[in-house]
Amino acid sequence: MLVIAITSCNAIKRVGDDELLLTKNLIYADSIKVTNEDIHSLIFQKPNSTLLGYPLRLNLYNLAKKNPDSSFQAWLYKKDKREQRLINILSKKQVERLGESFLVKGASVWLKNIGEPPTIIDTTRARRSLQRLNAYYKSKGYFNNSTTYEVDTSARKQRGIMNYKLDLGAPYLIDSVSTNISSAALDSINKVNKSNSFIKSGQRIDLDNFNSERERLTNLFRNTGIHNFQESSISYDLIGDTTKLGNNQKLDILLNIEDLKTRTDNALTTSEYKVHTFKKINIYTNYTFNNGLDSLKKVDYRDFTIYYQGKLRYKPKTLTDAVFLKKDSIYREINRIRTYRQITNLNTFKYPNIEFVADSTASELTANIYLSPRPKYSLGTDFDVTHSNIQFLGIGFSPSLQARNLFKGAENLSISGRISIGASSDPDIADNRFFNILETGGDINLNLPRIWFPFVKTSRIIPNYMLPKTKLSIGTSFQQNIGLDKQTLNTVFGYNWSPSDFKKNTAELLNVQFVRNVNPDRFFAVYESTYESLDEIADNYETEPALADYFETIDNSTDLQLIIPEGTTGFTNAILNGEVSSSETDYEDVSSIEERRIRLTENNLIFASNYTFTKNNKSSTADNDFYQFRLKLESSGNLLSGISKIIPFYTSQDDKLLVFNVPFSQYIKTEFDYIKHWSTSRTNVLAFRGFFGIAIPYGNSDNIPFVRSYFAGGSNDNRAWLPYSLGPGRTDNINDFNEANLKIAFNLEYRFPIVGDIKGALFADAGNIWNALDNVTDEKATFENFGSLADIALGTGLGIRYDFTYFVFRLDMGLKTYNPAEESSKRWFRDYNLSNAVFNIGINYPF
């Protein structure tokens, strides 16, 4: 009520007595209300923008002083001695600057800049809007439509609603379609493809169909040999009486395609369009226009002529495979585009220049492809400063070297290293130096611009126009004083290719990851929640004489706690081996903790293969009506399992097969990710995301490696929970890092502008993680049947974002709306308050 009262008083603050504030535009076509956003965009005057119904920018504008200079002068001279007193305190110059200051003048200027002046109804602009509406509906075949407008002032004081009313009448239809094509070649091509025309008899006349037909014909001709076809050669004549009234209004359509027009200095000449074929194709690898052809060497390869200076640094096959123009074939625009894309994809040349020279006496073309090489070697460095919950200051340095065209086949090799040092106040780190955290690593990547597979000609399966690439990489990293101090080794051998701009395939035949935990004894120091759970159980056994050496006092008090690692290990073994008498509940809890410790401290060998398919229909960065779908399938351990049938492997005490003394992981994993955006207006977007993923262990594994498991919460997931804090199931943050092998997530977000580049969002995030078909038996954490869907958590909230054009910085606040970890009667809105809000910072939109 207070907001409504303030809005009512403030909205018309700058509206004159004889003026009306525009509050709404309504359009009626044949008495039917029009809601189409594109049609509403034709109106010149728009009501002031609102934020969830509140005219924020208008009220900000009205807060500014109308004449801040005169207001300051009036205040300054209101009392006789005020000016002199200020001069004595400041100075005359400072008093003058005070009038120009932000508080006096700058604040009003700033409010006006971010605000929005009131939209006053202007009848002149209303008539211009009618002209636009009239023209629009004429383009849809309503040639005899009539328009008018009315101003409705009955709603509120000094406010008006514009009602635009249109009487459309009956639309005109297409009676017949005929052609007048000067070129015999064009006429022949058009007749063969006439069935695909957007203009057909009986249709309502629509300018969009004529534009679509013009684009279709242009693409058709340019892909059937007419390399120089001009879209401006196409025109239409509408034959008939456009003033005729009635229900049988029809017009004949005449399609005109004129000859090619060429303008010279003296005159405008015309010539008949012809189908062109390629006579010769020349490739210039390092040609400069300052040098003539006499200074170049050349080599003929297949149907191409390659020109070069000095020594040819490229394999001829590499160059010709990137060119889709073929000798004696007709010109096709699609082949020109594919040539541009594939040459750029080589990452060896700058953007190419392709020139077509037509023979004046014959229908033949010479194609000249000019290539400008990139530097063979290039150096790069990255420097970053970070802050996280692990380290309050981190400094990283990453040098890199790139070598192009390594083996003369446009192979690109990149070598990069990374060293980062960090400062942490973790008391478990014995190093007393300021920078007590160290991480080093390096990667070697080799990219080939083709699908490489021994003894197989893959170009027949995946053509070069799909931009195929082969990736071979190896990388390693070493951590010191971070968690368990992991050492990792990664190797990838895979491919990717794109059949079109909207589809992408990635296949990794080998994705090998080896993880070694250097300091597994630090487990309970790192995973504090797990330690607290074990120590709480141990409180019941402090008086056992056999366990006395496993405890220590806390800060000279009488309280005892388990010693890490001797006490935690000794107490766990004592319970599990029956050395002390324990309850069944304690035994199960300790057993569960020990299973998790073993899982997270054991070394991992993942020998996987995977395939990912991605599809979307986003036409440009400004497209807000699109979808994106991603499917991923991954299998691990099957190859090693098959080899074990031939070559016997060593086995562990629990009968797991070992490779390099490490049990290899065996599982199958699948993921579905779907994103959909709807444009509710020109500035507002409704975004949805759905995700389902499951990883099922089998064979040599009864659980999923930590690096391949799922977690919930965080800035790109359920924003009402911190990362790793949600789930599994209806458990309540039982571990420092909660993860599982099944995940379901749904996100819905409404995005809207606030002021300038500042955007807002309202969101609802639902989902959770569970254990399924693995070695976890806790019913609260497992997905047993569809009834487990009741464990799906719901978080809602709002966000604010600043659009820097190249990226978006966002801050989201999430509130726990439905928390499955609470009792059934307390799950809804239990922590729905600011004190329990979760704030997430992110870069770019979450989906």
Side-chain angles (χ1 to χ4, degrees), residues 210-229:
F210 287 87
N211 291 333
S212 298
E213 178 64 6
R214 184 180 284 108
E215 292 177 5
R216 185 190 74 86
L217 289 173
T218 301
N219 291 329
L220 173 63
F221 295 144
R222 289 180 181 174
N223 281 289
T224 50
I226 316 298
H227 91 281
N228 54 355
F229 182 79

Side-chain angles (χ1 to χ4, degrees), residues 515-719:
V515 180
R516 176 174 175 261
N517 295 296
V518 180
N519 291 312
D521 289 343
R522 292 182 57 195
F523 175 80
F524 286 107
V526 174
Y527 297 89
E528 295 178 358
S529 294
T530 306
Y531 171 75
E532 291 173 0
S533 298
L534 183 66
D535 189 59
E536 185 177 348
I537 298 172
D539 289 343
N540 301 324
Y541 302 88
E542 291 176 354
T543 58
E544 291 284 345
L547 305 179
D549 294 337
Y550 300 149
F551 295 93
E552 63 181 357
T553 58
I554 304 175
D555 299 329
N556 299 321
S557 66
T558 58
D559 295 332
L560 300 177
Q561 67 178 13
L562 288 172
I563 302 171
I564 301 175
E566 297 87 354
T568 53
T569 302
F571 174 73
T572 300
N573 290 336
I575 295 295
L576 298 182
N577 295 334
E579 297 175 11
V580 295
S581 177
S582 63
S583 67
E584 183 179 350
T585 301
D586 287 348
Y587 182 89
E588 291 178 354
D589 290 343
V590 172
S591 177
S592 176
I593 290 173
E594 179 63 7
E595 286 179 359
R596 177 175 170 80
R597 186 196 68 82
I598 293 173
R599 175 168 171 255
L600 296 185
T601 58
E602 69 179 358
N603 300 330
N604 296 126
L605 176 62
I606 303 172
F607 209 93
S609 301
N610 61 67
Y611 168 76
T612 304
F613 172 74
T614 305
K615 181 181 179 181
N616 73 83
N617 66 342
K618 189 172 186 178
S619 58
S620 66
T621 56
D623 185 5
N624 288 325
D625 279 294
F626 70 92
Y627 72 86
Q628 178 178 303
F629 172 74
R630 181 179 66 88
L631 167 66
K632 182 175 181 179
L633 302 172
E634 180 172 293
S635 176
S636 175
N638 289 338
L639 179 60
L640 294 179
S641 179
I643 294 175
S644 68
K645 306 296 183 183
I646 304 172
I647 303 174
F649 288 178
Y650 289 107
T651 58
S652 64
Q653 293 180 351
D654 52 357
D655 293 329
K656 290 186 178 181
L657 299 175
L658 303 177
V659 176
F660 303 121
N661 206 33
V662 177
F664 63 85
S665 300
Q666 192 169 9
Y667 61 85
I668 186 169
K669 183 178 183 180
T670 183
E671 293 180 355
F672 301 89
D673 195 356
Y674 179 77
I675 295 173
K676 173 64 178 174
H677 285 203
W678 294 273
S679 178
T680 59
S681 70
R682 291 187 175 273
T683 56
N684 297 12
V685 175
L686 182 65
F688 167 80
R689 181 194 181 201
F691 177 88
F692 173 82
I694 186 171
I696 303 174
Y698 66 97
N700 208 49
S701 298
D702 55 12
N703 58 68
I704 301 299
F706 183 84
V707 294
R708 290 293 200 271
S709 59
Y710 296 110
F711 72 92
S715 62
N716 294 325
D717 195 68
N718 198 320
R719 285 161 279 187

Side-chain angles (χ1 to χ4, degrees), residues 185-200:
L186 297 185
D187 189 40
S188 177
I189 296 171
N190 178 63
K191 288 179 179 178
V192 174
N193 297 275
K194 191 175 182 180
S195 60
N196 297 323
S197 175
F198 286 94
I199 303 175
K200 300 180 184 296

Side-chain angles (χ1 to χ4, degrees), residues 468-497:
K469 277 189 177 182
T470 299
K471 177 183 178 181
L472 296 95
S473 70
I474 184 170
T476 185
S477 66
F478 303 88
Q479 296 178 347
Q480 181 177 325
N481 290 338
I482 304 177
L484 305 181
D485 291 352
K486 295 182 183 295
Q487 295 180 354
T488 62
L489 176 67
N490 301 278
T491 301
V492 174
F493 171 44
Y495 314 109
N496 63 70
W497 66 98

Side-chain angles (χ1 to χ4, degrees), residues 225-228 274-278 329-331 358 362-365:
I226 316 298
H227 91 281
N228 54 355
K274 296 179 181 179
V275 175
H276 287 86
T277 57
F278 286 104
S329 67
I330 64 172
Y331 173 87
S363 302
E364 295 180 325
L365 288 175

